[in-house]
Amino acid sequence: MAVVDDVEPQAVYRDDGGVLVVSLGGRWSAGRAPRLEALASELTERIGSVRSARLDLSAVERLDTLGAYLLDQVKQAGEAKGASVELISRRPEHAVLLAEVERNITDYQPPVQPIGLVTVLIDIGQGVTRFGRDLAGGAIFLGEVMSGCVGALFGPRRFRGPSLVNQVELIAFNGAPIIILISFLVGCIVAQQGIFQLQRFGATAFVVNLTGILVLRELSVLLTSIMVAGRSGSAFTAEIGSMKMREEIDALRVMGLDPIEVLIVPRILALIIALPILTFISAMAGLVGAGLVSWLYGGIGLDTYLDRLKSVITWQHFAVGLIKAPFMAFVIGLIASIEGLAVKGSAESLGHQVTASVVKAIFMVIVVDGLFAMFFASIRM
């Protein structure tokens, strides 16, 4: 027998003609969860050793869902061991709660998970549906953005010039250091690996061709776009999503302002302006890194490196990277804005959409780069 105060859960045991009678008392509520769990384990052990048990809840001061759930678990565990368990109480609210808990637990059936080919087909179908929905939503949003751009073009007073300048500063000026560092290091790595491989064939000098063409045509724009998608694209999604959560976008509509013109158009235009600038900076940093490594590892002097670079590189190689940049910027801005406006009212939704924005933007950047590669190959540029 346990002696406790009048609010702590308690259980008093007695034998009534071979029937284990347990008088329960105190508060069987979530506030006493550790004590309740200990009592439930004790009750399960005691009832498991008898053939019949009766739990009297008449003295229980308060019974909530947790207490009722534990008592129902004790009853089911006892019955599973062959004992007859009865829950009784003079208070009708106890009976109602116990019956409700028992009914919901008994009626619940875990969903049957299909296996094998069915699961694969379901996943494919859901993926296709999501892709189609995203494609339709993107087309609609693209139309709204183009409409906002046309409206800003024919109505200059509606265009947010200071916002555009601010976004260009955040994207290009503040993002330049990390772009320079990454491009410089990648240029060094590509040149180093190229030298190590070309030395086997006595063609070390061709590392200038390799790094020059690769950096100007592909690496500079691709690295810059991926960095901008992870840095500025995620920031756009987080900013717009936070405004959506705080209902600031609805407030703009109430004030008669178009959120597309106020928030989306300046950001996308800033990306279109800033990304070619960053691509040029990235290309120069990559070539500097490649030239440094060519001198250190390949013995190619600066004058030789520049002369060979001048003879190999044409304006076409330089133009290819810059032509891609505005299109990639537009794709990044479009995806970031769509995901930002898709944020619901929770922090979890914001995190999910920011992650989706970065992943989708990087994926689409690579797809666009591949399409341009095929296009330029077809026109021999």
Side-chain angles (χ1 to χ4, degrees):
M1 179 184 300
V3 180
V4 292
D5 58 50
D6 59 346
V7 295
E8 283 293 320
Q10 55 182 304
V12 180
Y13 304 92
R14 63 185 177 86
D15 186 11
D16 185 10
V19 177
L20 178 63
V21 179
V22 186
S23 299
L24 304 178
R27 294 177 179 266
W28 284 66
S29 58
R32 270 87 178 166
R35 171 67 176 164
L36 288 180
E37 292 176 355
L39 273 179
S41 299
E42 181 182 337
L43 286 169
T44 302
E45 184 178 353
R46 290 283 191 100
I47 293 174
S49 60
V50 300
R51 298 186 60 84
S52 181
R54 185 167 61 247
L55 307 182
D56 188 356
L57 285 68
S58 301
V60 173
E61 295 184 9
R62 180 177 180 181
L63 180 69
D64 66 2
T65 307
L66 176 62
Y69 171 78
L70 290 175
L71 290 173
D72 185 78
Q73 293 298 302
V74 169
K75 179 182 178 182
Q76 291 187 22
E79 291 176 345
K81 293 181 180 180
S84 173
V85 183
E86 182 183 6
L87 298 175
I88 62 172
S89 177
R90 292 194 300 269
R91 304 176 66 172
E93 61 270 21
H94 290 170
V96 172
L97 182 57
L98 288 168
E100 189 68 20
V101 168
E102 182 180 6
R103 182 179 65 83
N104 282 281
I105 293 177
T106 303
D107 291 347
Y108 174 74
Q109 296 292 336
V112 178
Q113 297 292 338
I115 58 175
L117 182 62
V118 177
T119 304
V120 175
L121 293 176
I122 289 175
D123 292 340
I124 293 174
Q126 291 176 346
V128 171
T129 302
R130 285 194 299 268
F131 177 76
R133 189 161 44 242
D134 291 344
L135 194 62
I140 294 172
F141 188 76
L142 175 61
E144 294 178 351
V145 170
M146 297 306 297
S147 176
C149 291
V150 171
L153 180 64
F154 289 99
R157 293 184 178 180
R158 297 161 57 184
F159 181 66
R160 307 279 167 170
S163 177
L164 174 65
V165 174
N166 179 59
Q167 292 298 330
V168 170
E169 178 185 2
L170 293 175
I171 299 168
F173 183 76
N174 294 349
I178 186 64
I179 296 294
I180 293 173
L181 177 61
I182 294 296
S183 301
F184 176 82
L185 294 176
V186 170
C188 292
I189 294 169
V190 171
Q192 182 196 47
Q193 296 302 314
I195 289 171
F196 289 165
Q197 299 303 319
L198 292 172
Q199 277 178 344
R200 302 178 181 180
F201 310 99
T204 305
F206 285 98
V207 73
V208 181
N209 304 48
L210 171 67
T211 55
I213 295 175
L214 187 59
V215 167
L216 288 177
R217 292 182 69 99
E218 296 294 338
L219 283 183
S220 60
V221 65
L222 201 56
L223 284 174
T224 303
S225 299
I226 291 174
M227 290 298 297
V228 168
R231 182 179 177 274
S232 301
S234 61
F236 288 176
T237 303
E239 291 167 3
I240 297 171
S242 298
M243 296 181 70
K244 181 79 178 296
M245 291 172 60
R246 293 196 296 264
E247 300 181 352
E248 295 178 20
I249 293 179
D250 295 333
L252 288 174
R253 291 193 176 97
V254 170
M255 291 187 292
L257 299 175
D258 185 3
I260 302 295
E261 291 184 1
V262 176
L263 301 175
I264 309 302
V265 172
R267 285 174 165 81
I268 292 181
L269 291 179
L271 276 173
I272 294 174
I273 295 171
L275 197 55
I277 298 173
L278 291 176
T279 299
F280 174 79
I281 295 173
S282 172
M284 296 302 104
L287 292 177
V288 169
L292 178 62
V293 171
S294 298
W295 172 56
L296 293 176
Y297 285 88
I300 302 174
L302 180 59
D303 293 339
T304 306
Y305 178 82
L306 291 177
D307 289 340
R308 190 169 183 84
L309 194 64
K310 191 186 303 181
S311 64
V312 171
I313 301 302
T314 65
W315 68 269
Q316 293 175 328
H317 299 306
F318 182 75
V320 164
L322 294 182
I323 290 173
K324 296 177 185 178
F327 293 93
M328 293 184 176
F330 186 76
V331 169
I332 293 170
L334 200 67
I335 293 175
S337 302
I338 291 174
E339 297 300 328
L341 293 173
V343 172
K344 306 300 181 184
S346 65
E348 181 183 3
S349 173
L350 179 62
H352 175 75
Q353 299 304 141
V354 169
T355 303
S357 170
V358 175
V359 172
K360 291 179 180 179
I362 293 175
F363 172 76
M364 287 305 302
V365 159
I366 296 173
V367 170
V368 170
D369 184 72
L371 294 175
F372 269 109
M374 292 187 292
F375 171 73
F376 288 132
S378 65
I379 64 174
R380 301 184 183 279
M381 181 175 178

